[in-house]
């Protein structure tokens, strides 16, 4: 006799094993539990010999069409387990089952109209499957987050069309789209975070309120000052350069254009750019002059940086004090060792992460 909303609140607090038992009690409970179980779908799948978990999920959604109204988040990630192949290589025998699964996915995706988050990471398997086949028939009125990887980018117009039709997007991650997308100025009016290549970011960010930016790994020489100037038009507050090697010249260019940064995460390419006589944490001292160009910087994360040797707490404390004098707004520093330092009342206090 309890309202459905009350049962939903009760079941939402139960572990998975209890939910599975609850489905056997009555049709009402089964329906409520389905709504909970299928709200967030996360699949990590191996392509050898076929993406069996993906196929099982798609077969279930096709056999029970009413379930399409429940998913709010869909996450599918494929990986390849093939020790005999070089890293990044793909056994051609895996392409056929992968494309069969992608074909089934292209039939199921348009039915999931309640999605708010869609993450499709297919690795090397999807490179022959253009996004137009997957996304052209899809319309998600409430979609807020989109991540794509491993799809062919030979037809950028198809992806552009999809993005234009989804103005609700606030988070966008394009993991292997190396070129600029010809988006109209009115597209993606609510975008607040982007992850992708520098060329895509340079074309996408101007005119949009993107506060958080993550750039994917390319050679630092391919990140031009013009591209950085275009990205900076979005008034970025959080910049993540942890997935690419950042040389001192590139960091100086970043400091020239991103003067409003509050959070900076960076992987410094120190061993190839600084004097060979320096070692350990002494390499990081070269960052000090650049920090003075960030008047609002509050957090500096150096954890992705590969520094030879392990620093002593006294060395890190001394470097925090040096950083603080160059950048008075700085209150948090994370070193490559994983140690985290906070400033409070003029003192730096450290703890290990």
């Amino acid at each position: 006799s309890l309202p459905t909303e009350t049962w939903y609140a009760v079941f939402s607090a139960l572990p998975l094993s209890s939910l599975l038992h609850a489905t056997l009690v009555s049709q009402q409970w089964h329906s409520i539990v389905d709504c909970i179980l299928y709200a967030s779908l996360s699949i990590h799948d191996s392509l050898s010999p076929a993406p069996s978990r993906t196929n099982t999920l798609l077969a279930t959604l096709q056999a029970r069409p009413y379930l399409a109204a429940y998913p709010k988040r869909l996450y599918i990630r494929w990986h390849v387990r093939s020790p005999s192949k070089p890293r990044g290589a793909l056994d051609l025998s895996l392409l056929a089952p992968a494309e069969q699964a992608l074909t089934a996915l292209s039939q199921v995706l348009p039915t999931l109209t309640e999605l708010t988050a869609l993450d499709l990471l297919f690795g090397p398997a999807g490179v022959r499957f253009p996004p137009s086949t997957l996304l052209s028939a899809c319309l998600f009125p409430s979609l807020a987050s989109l991540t794509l990887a491993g799809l062919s980018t030979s037809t950028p117009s198809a992806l552009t069309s999809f993005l234009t039709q989804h103005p609700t997007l606030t988070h966008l991650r394009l993991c292997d789209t190396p070129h600029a997308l010809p988006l109209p100025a009115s597209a993606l009016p609510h975008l607040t975070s982007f992850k992708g290549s520098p060329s895509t970011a340079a074309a996408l960010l101007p005119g949009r309120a993107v506060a958080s930016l993550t750039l994917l790994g390319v050679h630092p020489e391919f990140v031009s000052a013009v591209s950085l100037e275009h990205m900076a038009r979005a008034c970025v507050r959080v910049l993540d350069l942890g997935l690419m090697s950042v040389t001192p010249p590139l960091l100086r260019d970043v400091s020239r254009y991103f003067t409003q940064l509050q959070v900076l995460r960076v992987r410094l390419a120190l061993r190839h750019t600084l004097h060979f006589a320096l070692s350990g944490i002494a390499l990081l001292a070269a960052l000090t002059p650049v920090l003075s160009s960030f008047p609002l910087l509050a957090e500096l994360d150096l954890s992705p940086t590969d520094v030879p040797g392990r620093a002593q707490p006294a060395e890190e404390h001394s470097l925090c004090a040096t950083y603080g004098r160059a950048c008075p707004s700085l209150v948090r520093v994370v070193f490559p060792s994983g140690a985290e330092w906070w400033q409070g009342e003029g003192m730096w206090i450290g703890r290990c992460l």
Side-chain angles (χ1 to χ4, degrees):
S1 61
L2 291 176
T4 299
E5 293 77 11
T6 303
W7 284 120
Y8 186 91
V10 172
F11 290 145
S12 296
L14 296 181
L16 178 61
S17 57
S18 299
L19 289 175
L20 295 178
H21 288 300
T23 61
L24 305 176
V25 174
S26 67
Q27 275 191 324
Q28 181 195 20
W29 282 22
H30 195 296
S31 177
I32 297 172
V33 170
D34 274 347
C35 186
I36 296 172
L37 291 177
Y38 285 88
S40 181
L41 302 174
S42 182
I43 300 291
H44 292 258
D45 220 347
S46 172
L47 290 178
S48 180
S52 56
R53 295 177 179 175
T54 305
N55 289 334
T56 299
L57 172 64
L58 297 177
T60 301
L61 293 174
Q62 288 176 320
R64 302 164 65 186
Y66 67 90
L67 292 176
Y70 299 150
K72 305 295 184 183
R73 178 178 183 266
L74 176 62
Y75 178 98
I76 299 178
R77 186 184 187 98
W78 290 352
H79 60 272
V80 180
R81 294 178 181 175
S82 183
S84 61
K85 293 285 182 180
R87 185 176 182 181
L90 178 67
D91 189 338
L92 294 180
S93 65
L94 302 179
L95 281 177
E99 291 188 354
Q100 290 175 2
L102 289 170
T103 300
L105 180 60
S106 68
Q107 298 169 355
V108 171
L109 268 182
T111 68
L112 308 180
T113 56
E114 299 301 317
L115 284 179
T116 60
L118 176 62
D119 301 274
L120 303 177
L121 301 97
F122 297 130
V127 294
R128 294 188 177 181
F129 203 87
S132 58
T133 312
L134 271 179
L135 303 176
S136 59
C138 297
L139 185 61
F140 310 115
S142 302
L143 190 66
S145 176
L146 175 67
T147 302
L148 297 177
L151 292 170
S152 170
T153 56
S154 58
T155 54
S157 59
L159 180 56
T160 299
S161 176
F162 178 83
L163 295 177
T164 304
Q165 294 173 2
H166 290 81
T168 54
L169 278 171
T170 57
H171 306 283
L172 178 61
R173 303 168 189 86
L174 302 177
C175 299
D176 48 11
T177 303
H179 45 67
L181 294 174
L183 282 171
S186 58
L188 304 179
H190 304 294
L191 193 67
T192 59
S193 73
F194 176 74
K195 177 180 180 180
S197 69
S199 58
T200 306
L204 185 67
L205 266 62
R208 295 180 174 89
V210 176
S212 178
L213 172 63
T214 301
L215 295 181
L216 296 180
V218 296
H219 196 281
E221 294 181 357
F222 294 109
V223 184
S224 66
V226 174
S227 295
L228 292 174
E229 190 272 331
H230 287 175
M231 297 179 212
R233 296 177 188 176
C235 297
V236 174
R237 298 292 185 266
V238 179
L239 179 61
D240 188 344
L241 302 177
L243 299 177
M244 60 186 297
S245 295
V246 179
T247 60
L250 175 57
L251 193 58
R252 284 195 295 269
D253 287 340
V254 169
S255 68
R256 184 179 303 122
Y257 296 107
F258 291 86
T259 57
Q260 303 301 308
L261 279 186
Q262 298 175 2
V263 178
L264 175 62
R265 184 173 185 264
V266 62
R267 176 188 176 191
L268 297 171
L270 297 176
R271 298 183 66 180
H272 303 286
T273 55
L274 297 180
H275 196 275
F276 67 91
L278 297 177
S279 61
I281 199 171
L283 293 168
L284 299 178
L287 182 61
T288 305
V290 180
L291 293 179
S292 61
S293 300
F294 298 108
L296 302 179
L297 190 67
E299 299 185 19
L300 175 64
D301 186 352
L302 301 171
S303 59
T305 302
D306 182 18
V307 174
R310 184 173 180 84
Q312 297 298 319
E315 293 178 302
E316 293 180 343
H317 180 272
S318 176
L319 194 52
C320 283
T322 302
Y323 285 170
R325 288 191 292 270
C327 181
S329 59
L330 196 63
V331 296
R332 178 177 179 263
V333 178
V334 182
F335 285 100
S337 65
E340 180 180 359
W341 290 79
W342 289 84
Q343 181 186 201
E345 297 181 357
M347 297 179 59
W348 285 94
I349 301 173
R351 67 181 180 88
C352 293
L353 293 178

